[in-house]
Amino acid sequence: LADIAGPVWLNVRFFERDLNEARVEVFKASTGTWHAFNLSPHGSNNAFISAAVDVTAVLASDADLASVEVRFMAARRPGGRQAAAGLDCVNIEVAADTFVDVDAHAVWAAGTTGAGIGVAVLDTGVAEASGIVLNQDGSPGIRPGWSAFQGDGGEMASPYADPNGHGTMVASVISHEVQMANVGTVYGVAPNASIISVRALDATGTGSYADVIAGIQWVVDNRSTQNIRVLNLSITAPPQSHYWDDPLNQAVMAAWQAGIVVVVAAGNTGPGPMTIGVPGNVPYAVSVGSFTDNQTPLNWADDYLPPFSAAGPTVEGFVKPDLIAPGGHVHALIHPSAHISQSNPQRLKGPNLGGYRLYEMSGTSVSAAMTSGVAALLLAADPTLTPDDVKCRLMDSALPATDATGALAFSVFQQGAGRVSAARALASTATGCANQGLNVANDLAGIEHYQGQANQDQAGNFTVLDDAGFAWSGGFAWSGGFAWSGSYTWSNGFAWSGGFAWSGGFAWSGSFAWDDPAWTAATATINLWSEE
């Protein structure tokens, strides 16, 4: 379609008694015409009937979607009883083509789909949902990994179990292919990548530091046999110390050192400055915030940063997040019985897909998943890339939001280098533009630690050192006329994706030593669903 990013369907829920025929009619504003779709009203045993109708041809533009009218018509069966029919719920949805906002279509067309790349999803588990189980090429779409809940009588002793639903949704954004009746095919960002389920969080979405760290260690230990090149961490915990003292952060740094691209959700604690969580505050990792398309997928000018997206800098002065990715009203696979489904049933969308349905989720969890998919595409195209290389190309190719004067519409502490682009990332040849001045081996060994380029002036403004153009007083732009351009080239000129030896420029209040009882009792959680 020229104007709509993905198929469009009409979901109708109606009840009936003794109906002979029923139909819905949809108004096409651009032509002023009504279009009829027949429904089968029989066999419901007086129950509610749910129907999904493909209306892509009718609602073929954003203008048509902006002025939707739907009417329901029904006729009684001859001799049937009185009081027959009524609508319970009608809604129009654009299919969840997650690749649209990250420019993956062109990458697929060139033959890169993530094949051969293992992406570990450390989360609440990954269920064996249709579309995740097998890739397009017939290879396994999900592989058994590790679970902290083996032998727990209350839950299945399998990493495939996902009583919460969050991990399954995250995995489906990264890699899936689903054939949807009346809709077509919906894909994840890297549809031929393989998901490795690492279950460290329970049914409520909470996991202990000990379990999360053990899961990361399993990923490091099995990276070669499973070809794990990417680790997705759509989890967060409150910072309680400098980044280098936090045991979870140390595990993330060790994974990075081992050659794994670690992609982390920035957190849903925005919009204020210094709200980045753990392990999003690890300077080496790729930390991802959110933007939303404002319900107009192909109109980038009204895209904006939702208030839940956490902002930097970190307490050590690092610019975070590194990137932003789609994080508003994204549809992902979930089982209707999962904890999240039961808690928010109104978010379930579309028809039944082999026992699973789509769920509308928002938050930096899905943004991290989008970016993990792009990282898998990069590594599939060039397996020789190091984690620093991948981060560099993701940032070098990102598109920052700028205003009419060409200045940044959002601070770098809100949008990082800008919105992720798969096509531009694969076209990038940049090297050496990420984690400059950092040495992860020295950091882990305690030889030296690092601080970033950010600071806070006496007026309370956050700035990037030596560049007053990146000042931010904490104000928050909500919407309006932004250009997402490539005018800022982060790979040369002033480099803020790096650091230098720690001098204590930011004073951390409330710091404490992580002794064994403290860190074993600490917990990390999923990034809970957020309103835009």
Side-chain angles (χ1 to χ4, degrees):
L1 293 175
D3 300 308
I4 293 296
V8 184
W9 74 88
L10 167 70
N11 292 313
V12 182
R13 191 166 186 251
F14 68 97
F15 61 91
E16 60 90 6
R17 184 181 301 137
D18 288 328
L19 293 185
N20 186 53
E21 60 179 308
R23 69 176 184 267
V24 291
E25 295 186 354
V26 181
F27 184 69
K28 184 177 177 67
S30 60
T31 61
T33 55
W34 287 92
H35 296 257
F37 298 86
N38 292 324
L39 304 173
S40 175
H42 307 302
S44 69
N45 193 27
N46 295 328
F48 287 99
I49 296 177
S50 293
V53 179
D54 184 359
V55 294
T56 303
V58 177
L59 303 177
S61 70
D62 283 341
D64 289 330
L65 274 175
S67 303
V68 177
E69 294 182 56
V70 178
R71 60 191 184 193
F72 175 80
M73 298 182 181
R76 287 200 313 273
R77 187 178 304 153
R81 291 169 287 182
Q82 299 290 325
L87 281 177
D88 176 57
C89 180
V90 178
N91 66 298
I92 300 284
E93 297 181 29
V94 179
D97 287 341
T98 57
F99 56 83
V100 172
D101 281 325
V102 295
D103 300 329
H105 239 157
V107 176
W108 299 347
T112 300
T113 58
I117 299 301
V119 182
V121 175
L122 191 153
D123 215 288
T124 60
V126 180
E128 295 181 280
S130 173
I132 302 179
V133 175
L134 285 177
N135 289 327
Q136 292 172 299
D137 57 7
S139 63
I142 177 174
R143 303 187 205 137
W146 177 87
S147 175
F149 301 92
Q150 298 281 359
D152 185 341
E155 298 174 284
M156 293 177 61
S158 167
Y160 290 141
D162 182 13
N164 179 271
H166 186 267
T168 302
M169 291 191 292
V170 165
S172 73
V173 170
I174 297 169
S175 175
H176 80 262
E177 177 188 9
V178 175
Q179 302 290 333
M180 300 182 66
N182 300 321
V183 173
T185 305
V186 180
Y187 298 98
V189 176
N192 275 332
S194 293
I195 299 296
I196 296 91
S197 174
V198 180
R199 186 173 173 222
L201 308 183
D202 63 18
T204 68
T206 301
S208 69
Y209 257 42
D211 285 344
V212 173
I213 292 169
I216 295 173
Q217 185 63 56
W218 183 92
V219 170
V220 172
D221 292 342
N222 291 272
R223 65 190 184 282
S224 297
T225 57
Q226 299 272 19
N227 197 32
I228 299 174
R229 302 297 307 276
V230 182
L231 169 59
N232 187 89
L233 295 176
S234 291
I235 61 175
T236 191
Q240 301 182 70
S241 67
H242 290 303
Y243 76 83
W244 57 80
D245 282 330
D246 189 293
L248 173 51
N249 283 348
Q250 292 170 1
V252 168
M253 291 159 61
W256 192 272
Q257 182 186 31
I260 299 169
V261 178
V262 186
V263 181
V264 185
N268 297 347
T269 50
M274 301 186 77
T275 52
I276 301 289
V278 170
N281 63 341
V282 173
Y284 305 92
V286 181
S287 305
V288 189
S290 292
F291 72 85
T292 175
D293 64 15
N294 204 21
Q295 304 287 350
T296 57
L298 292 189
N299 179 16
W300 286 19
D302 63 355
D303 295 358
Y304 65 93
L305 273 65
F308 62 73
S309 188
T314 69
V315 72
E316 298 83 16
F318 285 96
V319 176
K320 291 286 183 174
D322 299 297
L323 301 160
I324 52 174
H329 59 84
V330 174
H331 293 177
L333 289 170
I334 196 172
H335 197 279
S337 66
H339 176 76
I340 291 179
S341 301
Q342 296 295 307
S343 300
N344 298 281
Q346 74 279 8
R347 296 290 167 186
L348 288 168
K349 306 293 180 181
N352 186 293
L353 304 167
Y356 290 79
R357 293 184 66 186
L358 294 177
Y359 184 92
E360 184 180 86
M361 65 184 299
S362 297
T364 57
S365 283
V366 68
S367 303
M370 294 270 187
T371 306
S372 288
V374 177
L377 294 176
L378 270 169
L379 289 163
D382 185 355
T384 68
L385 296 178
T386 67
D388 283 353
D389 291 335
V390 171
K391 181 176 179 180
C392 173
R393 293 188 182 182
L394 289 171
M395 297 180 67
D396 172 72
S397 59
L399 298 165
T402 57
D403 62 20
T405 69
L408 293 178
F410 300 104
S411 163
V412 293
F413 304 120
Q414 296 170 292
Q415 66 172 324
R419 64 193 292 161
V420 69
S421 168
R424 288 171 55 87
L426 267 76
S428 173
T429 58
T431 58
C433 60
N435 297 339
Q436 298 175 16
L438 306 180
N439 185 313
V440 67
N442 286 350
D443 215 339
L444 282 168
I447 296 173
E448 62 180 0
H449 304 300
Y450 305 98
Q451 69 182 73
Q453 307 279 8
N455 214 325
Q456 188 174 17
D457 64 23
Q458 293 182 345
N461 298 314
F462 293 93
T463 62
V464 179
L465 295 179
D466 301 327
D467 197 318
F470 293 149
W472 182 38
S473 62
F476 198 81
W478 289 89
S479 62
F482 303 138
W484 297 84
S485 69
S487 59
Y488 285 83
T489 304
W490 304 108
S491 60
N492 41 41
F494 185 77
W496 51 261
S497 178
F500 45 91
W502 174 256
S503 62
F506 270 85
W508 178 264
S509 59
S511 179
F512 66 95
W514 284 90
D515 57 20
D516 285 344
W519 79 259
T520 54
T523 59
T525 65
I526 60 174
N527 287 278
L528 297 177
W529 184 91
S530 299
E531 294 283 353
E532 285 186 32

